[in-house]
Amino acid sequence: MQIVDFGNTGYRVSRLGAGLAEIGMELDLGDIEQAGSVLNSALDMGINFLDTAASYVHSEEFIGRTVAHRRDEFTLATKAGQAVGEGLDGKSWTYDRVRDSIDRSLRRMRTDYVDLVQLHSCGIEELKRGDIIRALEDARDAGKTKMIGYSGDNEAAHWAVDSGLFNTLQTSFNLVEQRAYTTGLLEKCAKSGIGVIVKRPIGGATWGMAKQGMSGSRRSYDNTYFDRSLKVQSLGDVPGDPDDPIIAAMGFTLAHPEIHVAIIGTKNPRHMASNIETLDDALSIDNTFVDVMHDRFAELDDDWHQLT
């Protein structure tokens, strides 16, 4: 597993991280053994970055019940701000909601602190108001988190980076989701030393689905990615495109050094292992493929903004 500096945070992270939305939202508490297998196999194979959220239903509790005893082996990131779940009723994006969410996350994950708390895709107006950022800063001052970050896209992501208030940014990026690159967002992060986490790095595997004539998806943004993939492929074969579409997608994303960790989620331990095993091949992807994909995105981009 390749390990890199996480911007200027002082942390070092694996290029692949485990995104835990799937295990939290698609498994129930009776599936504790399966969830534990996913998490422990990820750690055993070299992943050291776990990304969850207060809104991912059982995800935080799975962490607490299966890998809390391995706490010193991984960087733990969660997200806060939405009024979801027991004890977080009321209005989202308030100081109290962020504070209470962080406290609940600590209890669920059976830890005294997390390494990173991120605001979970709130809008630019909520960011500008300032109280939810102050809640993160107060949590950091109290030792409940080491870093604070923003998870989101488009104008709000630019605002978060420009503010100088955050240690990290989590944003969408993949073969057919390149606005973080074309608008200079990734470049600004690199210049500021911000740790960059990429979500949806393989675009729901839609690059391969489009090549194989498959259709349909369980998530609305995957349908958009599928349509974009068809449009890119309609321009002809892409030089250097690997036979394995997962290697193509993962390799494209990780070819950008501004990106420190790409999070991939699954509830299947075998899929987790397979993703990790493809890393070496993905890191050796042909630069021609990357350059042509940049060119095609620029040619076809008709308000292909980042999907939230």
Side-chain angles (χ1 to χ4, degrees):
M1 178 66 67
Q2 186 184 49
I3 305 293
V4 298
D5 290 332
F6 192 28
N8 291 344
T9 66
Y11 280 74
R12 286 178 60 78
V13 292
S14 51
R15 292 304 302 281
L16 289 186
L20 305 183
E22 280 81 357
I23 68 167
M25 301 174 79
E26 298 177 18
L27 301 180
D28 60 38
L29 292 179
D31 299 313
I32 186 71
E33 185 175 344
Q34 181 178 345
S37 180
V38 171
L39 291 168
N40 280 287
S41 63
L43 297 179
D44 291 343
M45 296 185 70
I47 283 179
N48 75 352
F49 190 93
L50 304 184
D51 180 83
T52 184
S55 62
Y56 292 169
V57 192
H58 304 303
S59 177
E60 291 182 327
E61 190 163 355
F62 282 143
I63 291 171
R65 292 175 60 180
T66 65
V67 293
H69 64 290
R70 304 180 67 173
R71 182 66 185 87
D72 61 348
E73 297 180 39
F74 56 89
T75 297
L76 180 57
T78 193
K79 309 181 192 76
Q82 297 169 331
V84 291
E86 183 180 356
L88 295 181
D89 298 331
K91 186 178 180 181
S92 297
W93 311 122
T94 66
Y95 180 96
D96 290 347
R97 200 59 55 242
V98 172
R99 177 200 60 200
D100 294 346
S101 180
I102 293 170
D103 288 343
R104 187 183 70 172
S105 293
L106 294 176
R107 292 193 300 270
R108 282 175 159 184
M109 295 189 285
R110 305 182 186 184
T111 183
D112 295 329
Y113 74 97
V114 293
D115 298 289
L116 171 63
V117 176
Q118 305 155 91
L119 293 175
H120 199 175
S121 300
C122 60
I124 195 168
E125 294 306 317
E126 287 85 2
L127 289 172
K128 288 180 177 179
R129 201 174 62 232
D131 59 327
I132 56 176
I133 298 176
R134 180 165 54 86
L136 292 189
E137 293 172 333
D138 288 351
R140 182 175 58 191
D141 292 345
K144 297 178 181 179
T145 184
K146 305 296 184 181
M147 301 178 286
I148 63 175
Y150 176 69
S151 175
D153 307 289
N154 301 305
E155 293 83 0
H158 280 273
W159 189 95
V161 173
D162 292 338
S163 74
L165 298 172
F166 297 98
N167 305 112
T168 70
L169 173 72
Q170 181 170 157
T171 198
S172 303
F173 185 77
N174 57 57
L175 286 164
V176 292
E177 178 79 283
Q178 297 185 32
R179 279 287 183 92
Y181 175 83
T182 61
T183 63
L185 180 62
L186 294 181
E187 182 180 6
K188 285 197 293 188
C189 288
K191 288 181 178 179
S192 301
I194 289 176
V196 176
I197 308 153
V198 159
K199 57 182 177 177
R200 306 171 190 164
I202 61 174
T206 54
W207 183 251
M209 292 170 61
K211 289 177 71 174
Q212 297 166 18
M214 301 170 63
S215 63
S217 175
R218 58 191 172 87
R219 297 171 296 198
S220 60
Y221 55 79
D222 285 343
N223 292 327
T224 300
Y225 291 158
F226 179 80
D227 291 341
R228 291 181 184 180
S229 294
L230 286 176
K231 291 177 181 178
V232 172
Q233 292 169 15
S234 72
L235 300 180
D237 293 340
V238 183
D241 187 4
D243 293 334
D244 186 330
I246 298 299
I247 290 176
M250 192 185 302
F252 174 84
T253 296
L254 295 177
H256 299 79
E258 306 93 337
I259 295 166
H260 303 114
V261 55
I263 54 173
I264 299 179
T266 180
K267 61 183 179 181
N268 187 321
R270 293 191 303 275
H271 291 169
M272 177 65 72
S274 177
N275 288 333
I276 296 170
E277 288 168 356
T278 63
L279 178 62
D280 289 341
D281 289 334
L283 289 173
S284 61
I285 197 165
D286 190 330
N287 288 333
T288 301
F289 174 70
V290 177
D291 292 341
V292 172
M293 290 301 299
H294 281 316
D295 292 342
R296 292 197 180 181
F297 185 90
E299 178 180 349
L300 295 168
D301 181 6
D302 179 17
D303 198 26
W304 282 8
H305 60 279
Q306 290 178 286
L307 303 181
T308 56

